[in-house]
Amino acid sequence: HHSQFHDKRIAMTEKSASEAAAAAERMQLQSEYQDCLLSHWKLCAAGLAIGLPVAMKTRKHIYWAIGGISGTMLDYVQALGDCKGFRARIASVDLKSGVRDPLVASAGMPVQPVPESSDQQA
């Protein structure tokens, strides 16, 4: 009886440790993903810089807004492409740990629990 309890306790501890490791890896990847996304700002700044003199000359602020919005959209599209690897790595961690992240799943990456391997002993 004692050995079964001991084995279950070890299994629970190993599971907790692997879940903690997966959570730490996911947090690290999310931080790197956020940094990657936030590093894309140059086209927005360029759009604002181009739109400002036009807006001042025409006295219509719409040109400044159009420049900023256009640059932001271009930055966003570029960031999605450049940072796509982080999303895939986060989804991979989620697959291993069985986590279902609605944001990742809604991005066209369905997350399903990893099936139990057949080589485990009962």
Side-chain angles (χ1 to χ4, degrees), residues 51-98:
L52 184 60
V54 176
M56 290 173 64
K57 187 170 185 147
T58 61
R59 297 184 185 267
K60 294 183 180 177
H61 299 305
I62 189 72
Y63 295 109
W64 197 43
I66 289 171
I69 291 168
S70 299
T72 300
M73 289 172 47
L74 291 171
D75 276 332
Y76 181 70
V77 169
Q78 186 177 17
L80 285 180
D82 291 351
C83 305
K84 186 168 53 171
F86 288 107
R87 291 173 62 154
R89 287 170 52 200
I90 291 169
S92 175
V93 170
D94 289 347
L95 272 171
K96 289 178 197 170
S97 63

